Amino acid sequence: MAWIAIADRATPRFSCSGLGSDAGRAETATQRDDPSALLARGTLLLEARLAPDGRPQTLLEWEQILPWRRGLSLQAIPGGGVVLVVSQGGQVCHGVVQHDAVNGDDTLRISYSWDAPARTGRLVVEKVGAPGLFLTELRDPPPLLLRDVQLVAMHPETRSMDRDVSFFAVSTRIEPVGPLPTLDARVPLCTPYGYRPLGRIARGDMLRLSDGGNAPVLQVVRRTVPASGLLRPVRLRAPYFGLQQDIVVAPEQRLVIGGSDVEYLFDQEFVLVPARHLVNGTAAHFVAGGPTVTYGQVLLPTHEAILAAGTAVESLFIGRIRRHPAKTAASLLAGMERARLPDHAASAYPVLRAFEAIALSQRRAA
């Protein structure tokens, strides 16, 4: 099971055997020469910014007529809706998700997953940087033709794609949705016995919190995703932000930042700042690398600020997902007993928007 197609504006990629760290892991590797090979199950992941003018958007669409008529259409409609239509011969699968993102500043991460043999699927909309998700179950989704995936990824003329789409990708597995890991495995986390890389942290270990307390690790979650759009890794550089060494994080990893300037500007003791808002070419920059990236994160009994290479970052925030069986089953937490999952209330600290993070950075640089 692997990512086999990743297409952004600059670099389209496709491999039947898998891309990046997934190379050689895709079960479709033996089907590269079969023009009728079907992708019976998988996930189409797409990231797009909502149109600032509120216009309808054809996020991704294609249609083929030989050897039979088939196609896919994914559209964003005004008022907060995403519509999916997938056709295969005479079979049509249709789904609609209503969401609360109606601002042109909002970026959506949309996942269409299908399992044709099991006759089930789902359409999920997530607002990047916000907790929660919007999910619709689908019935009888048809398989995709593997050749179509290759054509649409590698040949832009075979598809229609809105200018506000940053990338789309196709996986041969049902990809999880919901809470997303945000730390590179090499990021050192503080334990009562010193720093240890995240890759060596396990369930039951203790972590030192930024307030001096300790908390047990309930679970370590990991996920491989396309290194594109707002999943592209960010390098935070020492000694900025109090770091003792450079660390690599996901754009949505939030730092816990305090100080007199924070109190002056925001009337708060601490604020949360997503790493992507700190990218300025000096203290933080996007990392150029392979087509995929693997992130990890720790789940604690409560939503906490942990110490990563000397600076405070937030642990995995899962909100109250355990109260929603379908959303829990679709997430990375599906293997955990739902009754044992913690409830994470909303953070006590506000999350800075982009212009607020820029104002704070400029004040600190002055």
Side-chain angles (χ1 to χ4, degrees):
M1 297 181 287
W3 294 101
I4 59 172
I6 303 173
D8 55 26
R9 295 294 177 183
T11 311
R13 298 180 175 94
F14 176 85
S15 173
C16 281
S17 61
L19 295 167
S21 59
D22 283 341
R25 296 174 54 193
E27 61 271 33
T28 51
T30 59
Q31 299 174 293
R32 67 176 69 247
D33 298 322
D34 183 357
S36 61
L38 295 175
L39 195 57
R41 60 180 57 83
T43 297
L44 168 66
L45 175 68
L46 181 144
E47 191 176 275
R49 187 172 64 90
L50 284 178
D53 55 4
R55 60 181 169 81
Q57 295 166 279
T58 298
L59 302 176
L60 184 64
E61 186 174 71
W62 76 80
E63 184 178 27
Q64 299 290 333
I65 60 174
L66 296 175
W68 59 82
R69 187 174 294 275
R70 61 202 182 276
L72 181 146
S73 174
L74 190 62
Q75 298 191 354
I77 57 177
V82 171
V83 179
L84 170 77
V85 179
V86 186
S87 61
Q88 185 79 260
Q91 184 180 2
V92 177
C93 177
H94 177 269
V96 179
V97 171
Q98 295 293 330
H99 58 81
D100 64 2
V102 295
N103 191 319
D105 293 332
D106 290 330
T107 297
L108 300 183
R109 191 169 291 138
I110 302 168
S111 303
Y112 161 53
S113 298
W114 67 94
D115 188 336
R119 304 178 65 183
T120 62
R122 64 177 180 241
L123 179 63
V124 178
V125 175
E126 300 172 88
K127 188 164 63 174
V128 175
L133 56 88
F134 305 86
L135 182 150
T136 293
E137 300 286 354
L138 304 175
R139 185 67 179 167
D140 290 330
L144 297 186
L145 203 65
L146 190 60
R147 182 177 62 179
D148 289 350
V149 174
Q150 181 176 9
L151 280 173
V152 171
M154 300 303 294
H155 300 281
E157 69 276 8
T158 64
R159 68 184 189 237
S160 295
M161 189 168 76
D162 192 89
R163 62 179 179 269
D164 288 316
V165 174
S166 58
F167 80 92
F168 71 89
V170 176
S171 169
T172 62
R173 63 174 287 188
I174 308 298
E175 292 289 332
V177 293
L180 182 71
T182 47
L183 296 175
D184 183 87
R186 293 163 291 188
V187 172
L189 301 183
C190 189
T191 76
Y193 313 103
Y195 278 94
R196 188 187 307 168
L198 172 62
R200 292 176 49 204
I201 300 293
R203 180 181 178 183
D205 288 345
M206 300 294 292
L207 289 184
R208 179 64 54 85
L209 307 180
S210 64
D211 63 5
N214 297 313
V217 175
L218 300 182
Q219 191 69 268
V220 179
V221 295
R222 296 179 177 86
R223 185 181 172 193
T224 297
V225 293
S228 299
L230 294 182
L231 294 172
R232 185 166 46 138
V234 173
R235 181 178 299 277
L236 302 176
R237 299 183 59 205
Y240 300 100
F241 320 115
L243 286 167
Q244 300 164 355
Q245 67 179 70
D246 292 3
I247 61 174
V248 174
V249 302
E252 291 310 306
Q253 174 63 62
R254 297 188 290 202
L255 280 67
V256 184
I257 295 179
S260 58
D261 47 359
V262 169
E263 293 189 23
Y264 175 78
L265 289 173
F266 308 110
D267 194 26
Q268 297 284 336
E269 184 179 7
F270 296 99
V271 292
L272 298 174
V273 185
R276 64 186 170 102
H277 293 341
L278 300 170
V279 173
N280 59 8
T282 303
H285 60 84
F286 286 109
V287 179
T292 65
V293 59
T294 299
Y295 294 121
Q297 194 39 291
V298 291
L299 175 64
L300 305 180
T302 52
H303 181 223
E304 298 285 357
I306 56 178
L307 294 173
T311 197
V313 302
E314 65 171 349
S315 62
L316 185 69
F317 177 74
I318 66 170
R320 292 175 170 170
I321 192 172
R322 75 183 184 95
R323 303 187 183 192
H324 305 277
K327 294 179 181 180
T328 304
S331 75
L332 282 170
L333 307 171
M336 296 184 64
E337 186 178 346
R338 193 162 57 88
R340 294 182 178 274
L341 287 174
D343 256 356
H344 288 169
S347 172
Y349 308 126
V351 180
L352 295 194
R353 292 166 289 184
F355 72 90
E356 293 171 323
I358 291 172
L360 177 59
S361 297
Q362 289 175 341
R363 184 176 178 87
R364 291 198 164 189

